[in-house]
Every structure is written in C-alpha cells, then in structure tokens.
Amino acid sequence: MRVIIILLLFAQYALGQVSYERILNAGSEPGNWLTYSGNYRGYRYSSLSQINTKNIARLKPAWVYQTGEPGKVETSPIVVDGILYVTEMSHIVTALDGRTGRPLWSYRRPAVDVPTCCGPVNRGVAILDDTLYFGSLDAHLVALDMKTGKVRWDVTLADYRVGHSITAAPLAVKDKVIVGISGGDLGIRGFLDAYDAKTGKLAWRFWTVPGPGEPGHDTWEGDSWKTGGAGTWITGTYDPELNLIYWPAGNPGPDLNGDHRKGDNLYSNSLLAINPDTGKLKWYFQFTSHDVNDWSANQVPVLIDTVMNGRERKLVVQANRNGFYYVLDRVTGEFLNGTPFVKQTWAKGLDKRGRPIRLPNTKPTAEGTLVYPGMGGGTNWYSPSFSPQTGLFYVHVHENYGQVFYKLKAEYKPGARFEAGFVRNIPGEESYGAVKALEPESGKLRWEFREYSISGGGLLSTAGGLVFGGDREGYFFALDAESGKPLWRFQTGATIWSNPVSFLIDGKQHVAIAAGQAIFTFALD
C-alpha cells in the first residue's frame, strides 16, 4: 500500500497537480508554498536555510513585478514549481514566472464599486489539484484553470451592494473550498461557506450570527442579529487529526454602540472549531463578548503541539486584537492561559474561563473614552509566525496605542458604514510598532524589536534563523530569530501591507513580499 501511495504522489508531482495530500504534507516540500500560511497549522515558517544569519547581507532583489494599477497589494503568493500565483487589485489574478517575474497569464473580472470598510484589497488564492480559487470583492468565488487562468466555475455568495465582499484567501481542505465573508462594518450577517471544489456547489454554510431557533440566538437583542456583523475575513487553519478547521469571526455591528444588541453577541469575536465535512460547530471561544471597540478576532489561529504543565497538549494560540494573548486546548476549546502582550487599559484581567473582566467607564461615550489598545488593536489581520526551530511565536504589534472612542446613534442603511461611532488619536501620544517574540505556552516576552512606525505587514520565520517582516515606512527587514537583532533591510519605496513567503527557484531560495502595488522577490547574489 505504501508503494502505491508513493507512486500516486509521484504521478501528481509529474502532472503538476497539487493534491490535498500534498497540501497536507506541505512541510516536506519547502520549495513550494502551497497554502495561505505555508501549512495548515498557520506557522508561516519555511524550513529552507540557504538564506541565513551568516549570509543575509548578500540578499538582493531578484526581480520586481509592478501590477500597473493604483492601490495596495496584500497578496500572499501561492508558489508551485517555480510559478507564483498572486492577486493584484481585488479583481485580478496573475501567474508569474518565478525566474523573471514576467506574467504568464492574468484573469481579470470587471472592477465593481463595492462598499467596504478598508479599500479594495485581496489576500490571495487557494490551490487544489489543477485549479485556483479566488474570492472577489463583489462576493464571487471563482475557480480558475491553473495553467491558463480560464474560468471553470463562478458562484455568487451574497449581494455586494449591501456590503458583502471577499478579501481573504480561501482554504482548500479535502474536496472542499472554504471561504469567509467581509462586511462586518457594514451590517451584514456573517457566515462561513464551503463549496465542492469540482462543481462549485454549496456544501454547507455556518452563520456566525445565529438565527431564530439556533443556539446562541438569544445572545442578540430583538432583530439586532440581522445586522450583527461577525465577518470571517481572514483565512483559518486546519487540524487533520481532529478533522477541525479553526476560523475566527469579527466584530459585531454596529461596531461602537452596543445599546440595541444587548447580550454576548455570539459568535462575534470568537474562534470557531468546525467540522469541514459537515459545517457542524464543535466548540467556540469568545475573546471579547459584547464588543464595543471593534476588536475583531480576525487573526490567524496557530496550532502548536507542546508539553504544558507536564502534559502533552494540542494548543491553538492567538494574539488577539483586544490586547491579550490566548492559549486554548484545540480539542475542547478549554481556556488554558491568557496575558496582555501590549498595553491595555480596558480589562482587569481574564477570569478562569478566559472571559475579560471589563473595568468600569471603559466603553465608548458621546463625550469620548480613552482606551488602550485603539480600534486597530494590539495586532491585526497580518500573519504571526511560529518557528519549530526556536519554539517561539512571533507577532507584529502596535504598542502604547490608545485612542478616544466616541459613540453615536446607530442607524442602519444597506451598503453604508454601520459603526455608530468614531475614534480619535491622543495628541502628543506616540505609539510604535514592534516585532515581539513570545513563549507560546505562557505569552512571556522573549525579545522585542522596536520600529519607527507601526506595521501592517506579517511575519515569516525560517530555518535560516531569521524572521522577515515589513513596515509602513517601506522597509522589508530580517531579524535574528533567537535575539531579535536586526541583520538586514531593504527600502521598497512603498508601504508594506502583506505577508512574506519563501520558496525555491531552480534550487535557489527566494523570499517574496508585496509592497505598495508591486511584488518584490529576493535571493542571494
């Protein structure tokens, strides 16, 4: 049987097929980057070590691809056999020759004026067998032939005119494509969908705001569930042994005024453990109940196996936008540990179940209330990284970051912002960005690399002992993964709002990052 499996895998490689089994074993072929976070566990880690702490000074640009349209590129490339599959603006998918950066084909759909919170962005595609999967800003899931870019099927998830959109990269699991929805700041009712990868037929939908008769519906007041938000706009992770996907949900709506949605507002700001075959919820954990600060939980959950308190545990960890770092048992959802990883002033701490103990007078008011962290959170959607080599969890943070939260009257209009409030910065207060290395079991700080500006970029750790990241000043940089010492940087000329990846081209390690409207790749000279 083992021989047959090996022969089948070899045949898939020969045909350029990216089977589920290849994605499942993505760690065994570090020359490719087969899924959003590099593996199903959310590590964003490369076991390649050609580029390392000894030779990082020789890292130079290999090529730069200019997308040609204004805007910011947030894509995380998928890389297969020397070809990069990227999203450019939110309506374009392109295949790039990894040797030269020249486009091999591009798929374009009409650019539609879609109401969004944060611009027309897209974070990448998924791949399964010989098909790419792309979620468009106008809320379509599109299957493309990976060799030609031709459309195989195209399904509509929801009406973009009332605020639905897709900005996250889908996740391919087994024979399904799982995709989240954006629009929590525009009063949508959030959901997570799974589609048959071959046909595009809807397999299941999980509503992240329960309707009448569904568990959790009683956590919403009146009809507030209809505009409850809880978008699923960042790619989740997957444990094949437990057969569970871990997908975070965003803020409730309206964002800053909870007067008419009394209750915990499940499953907003929660981590959901869902069976990918059936869409059934196994467990959930809500980080911020009845959120009124827009602290969406749309941060990549990372799956780590380790010994904790003398016992082997399957963990899921997340540095949450609310300023706390969480450690959960990913089998049961049990809260194991939690601690602030940035300055926070809104909670006394977490109780034994991990529920925040909110301090009085910390909610938004008409006169304004100062709270740390601000609306953007202690961190945000950009990826953290976990290195099996160092055993450390790396996260880009926004430190010493407070804002004054104001509450306004909530008024829902389809397709319009539904925030019911606003924020202001504190005059004279200087926040800063930093990369922090945390011990994953405790959240204890091991080191911090302070930056001049805050960051909107994710991190990549490698077996070369490096942590790569980018910042809003346009620097793409590399740190020593053990100490945080800066070792190398390159000025890209534009703000970085994306996550780095690493791969091989003709046996030579490359690192890629999107900056502004361009995609940069680097290799040793």
Side-chain angles (χ1 to χ4, degrees), residues 44-337:
R44 199 164 285 274
Y45 169 82
S46 172
S47 59
L48 299 176
S49 59
Q50 291 180 12
I51 303 169
N52 54 55
T53 55
K54 306 292 187 197
N55 59 26
I56 184 68
R58 292 170 39 211
L59 195 64
K60 307 289 184 185
W63 51 261
V64 181
Y65 173 70
Q66 295 287 348
T67 62
E69 295 198 18
K72 58 181 179 180
V73 176
E74 294 188 355
T75 192
S76 178
I78 293 293
V79 185
V80 183
D81 301 333
I83 299 175
L84 280 67
Y85 300 95
V86 304
T87 50
E88 301 185 13
M89 297 304 106
S90 57
H91 59 292
I92 304 172
V93 180
T94 297
L96 299 173
D97 185 332
R99 295 176 181 81
T100 63
R102 292 186 176 179
L104 302 173
W105 56 257
S106 279
Y107 161 78
R108 290 172 177 256
R109 57 188 296 109
V112 180
D113 186 14
V114 177
T116 67
C117 77
C118 311
V121 298
N122 188 282
R123 304 192 181 98
V125 299
I127 192 167
L128 184 64
D129 296 326
D130 60 352
T131 305
L132 300 172
Y133 300 91
F134 158 63
S136 72
L137 200 66
D138 55 346
H140 285 239
L141 181 64
V142 184
L144 303 172
D145 184 300
M146 69 180 286
K147 289 185 169 57
T148 65
K150 290 184 177 178
V151 175
R152 291 186 167 168
W153 51 256
D154 179 337
V155 297
T156 304
L157 272 66
D159 187 352
Y160 73 85
R161 295 170 297 183
V162 296
H164 297 93
S165 61
I166 302 175
T167 54
L171 183 70
V173 175
K174 300 182 184 178
D175 59 349
K176 294 182 176 60
V177 180
I178 299 161
V179 62
I181 196 76
S182 300
D185 298 327
L186 292 98
I188 68 159
R189 180 189 174 201
F191 58 83
L192 183 67
D193 276 1
Y195 292 86
D196 183 287
K198 294 293 185 187
T199 66
K201 181 181 178 182
L202 179 66
W204 51 259
R205 170 168 289 185
F206 180 85
W207 290 101
T208 53
V209 180
E214 296 176 328
H217 179 69
D218 58 354
T219 64
W220 294 86
E221 181 182 12
D223 287 337
S224 62
W225 62 278
K226 294 180 178 178
T227 53
T232 48
W233 49 269
I234 200 67
T235 309
T237 49
Y238 172 57
D239 183 331
E241 291 184 6
L242 299 174
N243 196 31
L244 289 174
I245 56 171
Y246 301 88
W247 212 285
N251 62 278
D255 303 30
L256 305 183
N257 185 341
D259 291 351
H260 300 292
R261 52 173 172 83
K262 292 183 175 60
D264 281 354
N265 305 147
L266 294 175
Y267 298 97
S268 66
N269 291 1
S270 296
L271 181 62
L272 306 167
I274 294 175
N275 183 313
D277 300 322
T278 64
K280 299 295 184 184
L281 181 68
K282 175 75 178 296
W283 57 258
Y284 72 91
F285 180 86
Q286 189 174 45
F287 300 98
T288 313
S289 57
H290 192 75
D291 176 32
V292 287
N293 297 92
D294 194 6
W295 290 327
S296 292
N298 303 96
Q299 294 83 55
V300 174
V302 179
L303 314 184
I304 298 171
D305 295 345
T306 189
V307 175
M308 188 170 178
N309 300 325
R311 177 181 167 189
E312 290 188 3
R313 305 295 295 247
K314 294 179 178 295
L315 306 179
V316 53
V317 304
Q318 189 196 66
N320 191 271
R321 191 160 152 175
N322 70 10
F324 284 88
Y325 173 81
Y326 292 83
V327 182
L328 309 177
D329 184 314
R330 70 174 184 270
V331 179
T332 63
E334 177 189 0
F335 170 75
L336 300 176
N337 196 9

Side-chain angles (χ1 to χ4, degrees), residues 418-438:
F418 187 49
E419 294 178 329
F422 62 97
V423 292
R424 282 183 175 162
N425 294 329
I426 309 167
E429 185 86 344
E430 292 191 8
S431 62
Y432 64 93
V435 177
K436 291 191 177 185
L438 307 179

Side-chain angles (χ1 to χ4, degrees), residues 480-497:
D480 186 308
E482 291 284 2
S483 66
K485 179 183 177 182
L487 300 177
W488 172 89
R489 68 176 183 174
F490 178 87
Q491 175 53 251
T492 65
T495 297
I496 294 174
W497 303 93

